[in-house]
Every structure is written in structure tokens, then in C-alpha cells.
């Protein structure tokens, strides 16, 4: 029988190969922990998320001293162009080829739903700080998905209930023709039905449309008390401006169902005054919000939106959870994030439910008139604080499949 032995040269080759493999593994383990901000850099949501979300994420990393588990933290950014296919390609490339551990922001509900599916399959974290659709914690919920800042249910609850209490009885919906508009309208209709109101009609418009004239004329002819704008960003701004040009606001109220302070800044108080809206954050709430916002404004020269504040908070909570868990494993870190309370300048005593919904207070505001505003970005008057348990949909009503598991 023939025996085989390893020569000195062979042993050296094997040793070299093993050392190279170990060195490669060590380098991978010591490489940066990558967090991907997937956002709208160039279109209708760029002011609400965009580069501001990248800045907010980096602020959190800097405040965390730049390292976690002994490794440097790196923020990478991508522009999904408000296209689900583009967002999906970026998300897959980040996870499969570039070792990105968590994806953040995604201010477009259609893109967010696509990213939620990818991160669920890949067992990576998705912290939806910019998306609105309540489906992210409903039928599309994920063990590794956390819906951080706000959702369509909370926004519609706050704004629609408040306006109904002021005596509005009839409504007309002007909604964006994709997931955001559909969900905002559906959630608002439930509130209107519950308060005894009536929907007189509805029309959908293409995303990023420049001309709202035909849609607004239909809304005007309905004679509804309120025209509810179930759209966001540039679409919301253009609709409000054109409604004013048509004189619609003299006889009918406009209700913005998802409004950001960047939108109010673009509109100006003369056009936006009196508008009621719900938000998860306002920069001028207290000393903590003002201190953080002053830092953000210094870096960007822009007023921070609730997406920017939420992105900072989500990154900080994620990094704390990674440190506490001692691992980057997606499901393990997601579970640790659910276990830990959320406390920062934006959220006090927040908690993340099993369905992934962060429960925190929401706020109802009225936009000030130019005469009421006393200093830069002094735009909102606080009308009410809506407790988190009231603001967000009860978990058992959302239809999250995770709740059916033992």
C-alpha cells in the first residue's frame, strides 16, 4: 500500500495558505461596520430626507465616537430615484457585495416595501425612518424591520380627527397614485367613517406631477368641506400653491396628511398659515430639540425634518443594541433593539413592539401666520400631544404575520 507524506515545501505552502485565509478573515472582521442611507437625493423628497438624512446618520456615528465592537463605522449613501427597482438593486448590492449591515431612511413607500422584503430574506436590519406606509408593520412586517418615525395611520389619526372635531363633515381626497397615497387615504377614510363624516369623492395623481389643475377642479366642484392631500414633498407643495392660485382655499379647507417642515419652509407662511398637521418632531419643542437642531442647521443650513431627527435616533439605538448584543447578527440585534427602551432628544420612553413599530408620542400642530412668527424657522404652534398608544394602530389590528408565530 502506498503511503503519502507532506514535504517541507508542501507544509510551507499549506501554512502560507492558512495564514492568508486567517489574515483575510481578520481583515473582514476588522473592516468598517457599514450603514446604508437609501434616500431621495434629487427629487420630490430630497428636502425631507436626502442629504440631510446622511448628515443626521453621520452625527449619530460621531456622537457614538465612530466605533462599535472595536470596528470603525461607515455611512454609505444611495439615491433610489423613487423607483422600487432601482432601490432594490442598490439594497441587494449593498448587502450581497458591500457588507452593509443596515439600511435606513427610504422616503418612498413603494421602495420601502421592496427593501423590507430584501432585508427580511437576507436577515439584515431595515430601519424605516423615512417611509410612511403602515404595511411595514402590518402584512409586510419583518423580524428585522423597524418602522421608526411615523406612519400613515398615525398621521391620519392626528390630522383627520382634529379637523373633524372642528366641524368638518365632508371630504375629498387628492392622493398620490402609489403606496403612500393609497394607504394615507385608506387610513383616513376609517377615521372619517368613525366620526360620522362623508367622503364626497377622490382622485389620484401621478407622482411628481407639475400640473394639479384638473385634479383640484374636481375637488372644488365636489363642494366638500375639506380637500385632503394624501401626497408629500414636491407634490404637496405644488398642490397647495395651485389651490391658492385657483382661490380654492377661500371656500374649502386644505388638509395635509403628511407634511414636513421643509414643505412649510418652501411654501412660506403666507401660503401655509392655518394648515393643521401631525408630526413626530419639531425642532423648537424644548432645549434638547433646539440644541440638536442647532448642530444640524450649522452643518446643513436647513431646518431638520422628523425624518432627519428619526434617522439620528435610529442609528444611535442600533449602535447601542449592537454593543449590548456583542454581535452584528441581524435578528439578534433586532431583538435587542426591541428589548431596549428608546430615549433621546426626540423620543422619550419609546418602545419597539413585536411587529416592529416604535411607539412614541406624536404631535398636532397649526402653522403660524407671518405675524405670529418671531424668529427663523418659527413655524408651528403646538395644539396637542397624542400619546403613542393612541397615535399608532393597535398591534392586533395590523395583520402582522409575526404575531401568529409561537
Amino acid at each position: 500500500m502506498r503511503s503519502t507524506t507532506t514535504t517541507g515545501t508542501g507544509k510551507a505552502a499549506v501554512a502560507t495558505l492558512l495564514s492568508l485565509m486567517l489574515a483575510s478573515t481578520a481583515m473582514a472582521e476588522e473592516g468598517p461596520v457599514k450603514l446604508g442611507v437609501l434616500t431621495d437625493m434629487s427629487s420630490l423628497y430630497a428636502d425631507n430626507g436626502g442629504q440631510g438624512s446622511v448628515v443626521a446618520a453621520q452625527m449619530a456615528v460621531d456622537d457614538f465616537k465612530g466605533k462599535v465592537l472595536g470596528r470603525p463605522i461607515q455611512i454609505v449613501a444611495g439615491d433610489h430615484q423613487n423607483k422600487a427597482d432601482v432601490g432594490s438593486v442598490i439594497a441587494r448590492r449593498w448587502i450581497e457585495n458591500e457588507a452593509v449591515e443596515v439600511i435606513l431612511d427610504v422616503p418612498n413607500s413603494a421602495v420601502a416595501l421592496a427593501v423590507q422584503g430584501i432585508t427580511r430574506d437576507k436577515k439584515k436590519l431595515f430601519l424605516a425612518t423615512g417611509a410612511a406606509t403602515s404595511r411595514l408593520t402590518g402584512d409586510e412586517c419583518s423580524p428585522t424591520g423597524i418602522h421608526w418615525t411615523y406612519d400613515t395611520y398615525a398621521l391620519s389619526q392626528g390630522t383627520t380627527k382634529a379637523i373633524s372635531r372642528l366641524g368638518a363633515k365632508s371630504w375629498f381626497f387628492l392622493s398620490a397614485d402609489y403606496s403612500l397615497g393609497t394607504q394615507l387615504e385608506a387610513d383616513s377614510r376609517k377615521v372619517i367613517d368613525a366620526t360620522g363624516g362623508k367622503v364626497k369623492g377622490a382622485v389620484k395623481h401621478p407622482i411628481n406631477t407639475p400640473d394639479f389643475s384638473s385634479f383640484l377642479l374636481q375637488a372644488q366642484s365636489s363642494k366638500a368641506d375639506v380637500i385632503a392631500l394624501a401626497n408629500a414633498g414636491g407634490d404637496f407643495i405644488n398642490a397647495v400653491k395651485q389651490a391658492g392660485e385657483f382661490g380654492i382655499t377661500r371656500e374649502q379647507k386644505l388638509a395635509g396628511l403628511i407634511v414636513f417642515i421643509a414643505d412649510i419652509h418652501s411654501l412660506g407662511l403666507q401660503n401655509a398659515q392655518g394648515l393643521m398637521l401631525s408630526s413626530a418632531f419639531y425642532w423648537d419643542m424644548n432645549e434638547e430639540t433646539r440644541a440638536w437642531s442647532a448642530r444640524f442647521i450649522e452643518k446643513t443650513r436647513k431646518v431638520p425634518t422628523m425624518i432627519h431627527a428619526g434617522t439620528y435616533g435610529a442609528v444611535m439605538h442600533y449602535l447601542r443594541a449592537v454593543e449590548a448584543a456583542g454581535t452584528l447578527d441581524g435578528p439578534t440585534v433586532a431583538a435587542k433593539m426591541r428589548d431596549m427602551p428608546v430615549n433621546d432628544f426626540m423620543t422619550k420612553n419609546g418602545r419597539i413592539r413585536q411587529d416592529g413599530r416604535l411607539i412614541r408620542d406624536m404631535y398636532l400642530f397649526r402653522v403660524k401666520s407671518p405675524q405670529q412668527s418671531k424668529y427663523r424657522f418659527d413655524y408651528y404652534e403646538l395644539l396637542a400631544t397624542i400619546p403613542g398608544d393612541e397615535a399608532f394602530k393597535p398591534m392586533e389590528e395590523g395583520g402582522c404575520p409575526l404575531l401568529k408565530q409561537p
Side-chain angles (χ1 to χ4, degrees), residues 81-361:
Q81 302 175 38
N82 293 299
K83 297 175 181 177
D85 57 343
V86 173
S88 296
V89 168
I90 295 172
R92 287 189 184 279
R93 186 184 76 236
W94 277 355
I95 292 171
E96 295 174 357
N97 301 329
E98 299 179 23
V100 170
E101 297 292 341
V102 57
I103 296 177
L104 297 130
D105 196 359
V106 196
N108 179 297
S109 292
V111 182
L113 289 168
V115 171
Q116 178 99 314
I118 293 167
T119 52
R120 184 197 299 117
D121 292 343
K122 300 294 183 180
K123 295 181 170 54
K124 296 295 184 180
L125 266 291
F126 175 34
L127 308 182
T129 57
T133 178
S134 56
R135 290 185 63 196
L136 289 170
T137 52
D139 63 313
E140 289 290 340
C141 69
S142 165
T144 55
I146 296 175
H147 204 175
W148 192 268
T149 312
Y150 63 98
D151 64 23
T152 51
Y153 184 91
L155 296 175
S156 61
Q157 285 287 303
T159 307
T160 311
K161 273 186 179 178
I163 294 174
S164 295
R165 286 169 182 163
L166 292 176
K169 297 296 184 185
S170 58
W171 299 69
F172 187 98
F173 283 94
L174 201 166
S175 305
D177 191 12
Y178 77 111
S179 302
L180 169 70
T182 300
Q183 197 66 54
L184 270 176
E185 182 178 330
D187 287 339
S188 297
R189 281 176 177 265
K190 292 175 184 176
V191 177
I192 293 167
D193 290 342
T195 54
K198 179 182 179 182
V199 177
K200 286 196 168 183
V203 64
K204 295 188 181 297
H205 68 81
I207 188 172
N208 214 10
T209 184
D211 185 7
F212 282 86
S213 56
S214 64
F215 309 118
L216 288 168
L217 288 174
Q218 290 180 61
Q220 186 178 38
S221 64
S222 74
K223 305 297 184 184
D225 297 334
V226 182
I227 300 172
L229 301 176
N231 54 15
D235 284 336
F236 169 78
I237 292 168
N238 286 334
V240 172
K241 286 181 177 177
Q242 292 176 38
E245 292 168 2
F246 283 124
I248 290 173
T249 52
R250 289 195 293 268
E251 297 182 359
Q252 293 166 289
K253 290 186 178 70
L254 283 184
L257 298 180
I258 177 169
V259 182
F260 296 88
I261 197 167
D263 305 330
I264 303 303
H265 183 73
S266 295
L267 282 166
L269 294 183
Q270 189 63 44
N271 291 318
Q273 61 183 312
L275 188 72
M276 297 175 70
L277 59 100
S278 297
S279 181
F281 172 77
Y282 176 47
W283 76 271
D284 202 14
M285 291 282 289
N286 54 52
E287 289 301 322
E288 281 188 278
T289 60
R290 285 189 283 271
W292 183 85
S293 298
R295 293 170 55 205
F296 181 90
I297 292 169
E298 184 179 5
K299 293 176 181 294
T300 65
R301 304 302 173 192
K302 294 182 178 181
V303 61
T305 69
M306 58 179 163
I307 292 178
H308 300 144
T311 297
Y312 176 96
V315 171
M316 285 295 289
H317 193 68
Y318 168 76
L319 294 175
R320 288 169 181 155
V322 168
E323 193 171 64
T327 180
L328 291 171
D329 178 68
T332 303
V333 176
K336 180 61 69 173
M337 290 181 74
R338 284 168 167 82
D339 288 342
M340 297 168 57
V342 180
N343 278 293
D344 56 33
F345 67 90
M346 176 185 180
T347 303
K348 299 301 179 186
N349 299 315
R351 70 185 194 281
I352 301 170
R353 300 188 311 203
Q354 186 180 349
D355 63 353
R357 176 69 258 169
L358 170 60
I359 302 300
R360 57 175 315 283
D361 291 347

